[in-house]
Amino acid sequence: MADKLTSEEIRPDTPVQRQQSLARVQAMPWLIVIVLLAAVAFLTWRAYFYSEEGDPVGSAMLAFEKQNSLNVFSSRFEVVAESEDARGVLGIDLLKSRQATILPATVTYTLDLSHVGRDSFTWDASSETLDVVLPALKISRPNLDEAAAREFTDGNWVTAGAQRALSKNNSLQAERKAAAFAKNPQVLALARQAAKEAVRQNLAIPMQVAGYGDVKVRVRFEGEKQS
């Protein structure tokens, strides 16, 4: 009787063992997913924020290595150009015309990060301050919005040739004036300030993530005194 009771008590354990095995099999794909996610997170951290030597300058350089250039400022303005044209016969100017053109122009200021090397950074551990020296900004060629140009032409009879000559000359003038305006000290100061702010933001956050805390980032251009 005791043997029969023992036999009956053992039999129900078999389905429980099968359920446990099935649960382990079902859990395996989730374990693989978790391991893969952890691996991706580790590789991302290592690629973007890890520095083998624990060097703040190395961490700062990693933030710049991900991009070759940085557009820091864009200026849109209008330039005015004026040209005259005279056409005639036997040296006598019979047809005179004049045209004034107002042209919108856009200029972009870019920071070439490929020229920012280790010698561009200085780390002061006592004050937790990172000093960065930037190269001069690159100014793009003015982009003239010919479709939005406004033309004012004066003349009794403006031939098609005269119209083309006036428009072409005004476009060349407008490009030269736009390039000169882009180097205006006030506009250039705005672009340089925008570049400094962009660099601070691009460095401060990665430095915090890398574990250096609330680092102070000071930025200046070559030849500029530290403020």
Side-chain angles (χ1 to χ4, degrees):
M1 184 69 176
D3 293 341
K4 182 178 180 181
L5 180 59
T6 302
S7 176
E8 290 177 353
E9 289 178 350
I10 293 175
R11 287 172 188 166
D13 290 345
T14 303
V16 174
Q17 293 175 355
R18 291 178 179 176
Q19 290 177 3
Q20 292 176 349
S21 300
L22 181 60
R24 285 196 294 269
V25 171
Q26 292 176 341
M28 284 301 297
W30 290 105
L31 290 175
I32 294 174
V33 170
I34 292 172
V35 171
L36 289 176
L37 289 175
V40 170
F42 172 77
L43 292 175
T44 302
W45 168 78
R46 187 178 181 88
Y48 287 91
F49 308 114
Y50 176 75
S51 176
E52 290 185 359
E53 300 177 356
D55 181 13
V57 173
S59 298
M61 291 182 64
L62 280 177
F64 278 177
E65 287 177 358
K66 305 304 176 183
Q67 40 192 339
N68 293 324
S69 63
L70 184 65
N71 291 338
V72 295
F73 190 72
S74 180
S75 178
R76 182 176 174 86
F77 48 88
E78 291 184 336
V79 290
V80 179
E82 186 174 345
S83 300
E84 294 183 354
D85 184 82
R87 297 170 186 263
V89 180
L90 299 176
I92 302 175
D93 295 334
L94 299 177
L95 301 175
K96 294 183 178 181
S97 57
R98 183 175 60 181
Q99 184 182 85
T101 305
I102 302 176
L103 266 168
T106 303
V107 176
T108 302
Y109 299 80
T110 304
L111 190 61
D112 188 355
L113 298 180
S114 65
H115 291 168
V116 180
R118 175 170 284 273
D119 56 350
S120 301
F121 298 89
T122 303
W123 170 249
D124 185 356
S126 60
S127 61
E128 295 186 337
T129 300
L130 181 68
D131 289 312
V132 187
V133 180
L134 302 177
L137 288 174
K138 288 187 175 182
I139 305 175
S140 70
R141 180 178 178 178
N143 181 19
L144 302 179
D145 190 355
E146 302 278 0
R150 289 172 286 168
E151 296 180 345
F152 305 90
T153 306
D154 182 26
N156 294 329
W157 185 19
V158 182
T159 65
Q163 178 69 35
R164 287 193 297 270
L166 290 169
S167 297
K168 181 179 180 179
N169 192 41
N170 280 349
S171 294
L172 293 174
Q173 281 191 50
E175 184 173 348
R176 289 195 297 268
K177 289 184 177 182
F181 181 82
K183 298 177 183 178
N184 181 289
Q186 294 180 343
V187 179
L188 194 55
L190 292 175
R192 289 160 70 97
Q193 186 60 35
K196 292 178 182 179
E197 292 298 329
V199 170
R200 288 191 190 102
Q201 293 178 8
N202 274 264
L203 290 179
I205 296 177
M207 294 288 285
Q208 290 178 3
V209 175
Y212 295 104
D214 190 12
V215 174
K216 181 180 180 181
V217 180
R218 297 189 302 186
V219 185
R220 63 183 176 88
F221 282 88
E222 293 179 353
E224 184 180 37
K225 293 182 178 180
Q226 185 64 265
S227 55

